[in-house]
Amino acid sequence: MMADNEQAWSPAEFEAKLRALEKYYHIHHPFNIKMNSGQCTPGQIRGWVANRFYYQISIPMKDAAIMANCTDRETRRRWVLRILDHDGWEDNPGGIEAWAFLGEAVGLTRDELWSLEHVLPGVRFAVDAYVNFARRAPWYEAVCSSLTEMFAPQIHQDRLAAWPQHYAWIEPQGLQYFRSRVPLAKRDVEHGLAVTLEHFRTRAQQEQAVEILRFKLDVLWSMMDAMERGLPA
C-alpha cells in the first residue's frame, strides 16, 4: 500500500491504471479462447451456459447488497436499474430470462438450468465470494468491483461474431443476451467509473481500487478455471 502522502494519480491516469487491468480479463482465458474459436463440444457449451447462469442469477443479489449499504440517494436511484436489467420489470423479461432463453437454445431445459445441478463447486465458490464481498464492503468499493464491465462489450461482440460461425446448431435468437448487454455495459461503466473516481482520491485509495478490480477479475478467471477443468470433453 502506498503512503498517504504519495502523489495521487490524475483522474486520467487513475482511469488508465484501471483499464490496464484488461489483460487479466477472462476474454484471455484459454477456455474462452477455445470456446470462441469453435473448439468446444456441445456439452461444453451447455456446461458453460449452465455454470454462468449461477453468476447471472447472483448479479441482482450483488447489486441489491450494494444498494442496501449505499448512503447516497442518487447512486441508489441509478443503481436500481441494474437490478431491473436482470430481474426484469413489467413487460421486459430482463437478462436472467434472456440467459434462460440462451440455455434453451443450446439444448438445456428450463428446469435443468434453474435446478443448478450442473454448477461446479469452484464456480459456486467464486460467485458466492463476489456476492459476499458486495455485502460486506463499503458500497463504493463494491461499485469499483463492478468495473469489469469496462471490458465486457468486446467479449459479447466476440461471441456474436464467432458463435453463429462455429456453432450453427445454436438458435440465433438465443444470443439476444449478448446483444442487449453491449449498450447496457457502456451505460453502467460510465456511472461506476464516475463513482470510483470520486471516492478513491488519494494514491493509497487509488491503489486499493486497483486491487479491488483485480479481485473481481480473479473471480471471473477462477470461474473459467473451474469450467476448463470440470466440464466433460
Side-chain angles (χ1 to χ4, degrees):
M1 184 66 69
M2 304 296 298
D4 285 337
N5 61 356
E6 188 79 18
Q7 183 176 0
W9 293 316
S10 70
E13 290 172 329
F14 184 23
E15 180 177 346
K17 294 288 185 181
L18 295 169
R19 290 188 180 276
L21 295 179
E22 188 274 344
K23 63 186 176 182
Y24 300 112
Y25 192 50
H26 65 289
I27 196 172
H28 304 297
H29 193 282
F31 187 76
N32 185 70
I33 294 172
K34 176 181 176 180
M35 186 164 52
N36 274 8
S37 59
Q39 300 179 55
C40 281
T41 65
Q44 288 172 325
I45 294 292
R46 284 190 282 271
W48 178 81
V49 171
N51 276 271
R52 281 284 301 194
F53 184 67
Y54 186 64
Y55 180 76
Q56 301 304 319
I57 63 175
S58 298
I59 290 173
M61 293 188 289
K62 175 268 297 183
D63 288 325
I66 292 174
M67 287 187 61
N69 292 333
C70 182
T71 56
D72 181 68
R73 182 188 179 204
E74 185 56 33
T75 296
R76 294 196 304 269
R77 284 165 59 89
R78 296 184 64 176
W79 207 265
V80 72
L81 296 177
R82 297 175 182 241
I83 298 176
L84 297 175
D85 286 342
H86 282 84
D87 280 339
W89 77 97
E90 295 181 350
D91 60 347
N92 185 326
I96 290 175
E97 191 62 27
W99 197 274
F101 191 45
L102 172 62
E104 292 178 314
V106 302
L108 295 163
T109 68
R110 294 181 66 86
D111 287 345
E112 190 178 10
L113 198 63
W114 279 100
S115 73
L116 306 179
E117 62 187 85
H118 299 302
V119 178
L120 297 164
V123 170
R124 190 182 295 270
F125 184 85
V127 174
D128 289 352
Y130 180 44
V131 175
N132 287 330
F133 172 79
R135 287 175 176 152
R136 296 170 182 171
W139 66 270
Y140 50 87
E141 292 186 8
V143 166
C144 175
S145 73
S146 76
L147 286 177
T148 50
E149 290 278 19
M150 291 190 295
F151 318 125
Q154 186 60 56
I155 205 170
H156 296 320
Q157 290 165 351
D158 286 352
R159 290 166 187 155
L160 289 168
W163 282 32
Q165 175 185 355
H166 297 304
Y167 307 111
W169 54 272
I170 300 176
E171 292 287 341
Q173 297 88 339
L175 305 181
Q176 177 57 31
Y177 177 86
F178 305 137
R179 297 187 190 97
S180 68
R181 285 308 304 171
V182 173
L184 293 176
K186 292 178 180 178
R187 179 206 68 190
D188 292 346
V189 165
E190 180 182 350
H191 181 218
L193 191 56
V195 169
T196 299
L197 294 178
E198 178 182 355
H199 286 271
F200 295 85
R201 296 194 174 187
T202 69
R203 180 64 174 273
Q205 291 169 339
Q206 292 168 335
E207 292 278 5
Q208 180 190 22
V210 170
E211 292 172 4
I212 290 168
L213 184 53
R214 180 64 193 271
F215 157 74
K216 172 61 185 308
L217 289 162
D218 287 347
V219 166
L220 297 173
W221 195 275
S222 294
M223 291 171 61
M224 296 298 279
D225 277 347
M227 286 185 273
E228 182 180 40
R229 296 167 183 166
L231 294 179

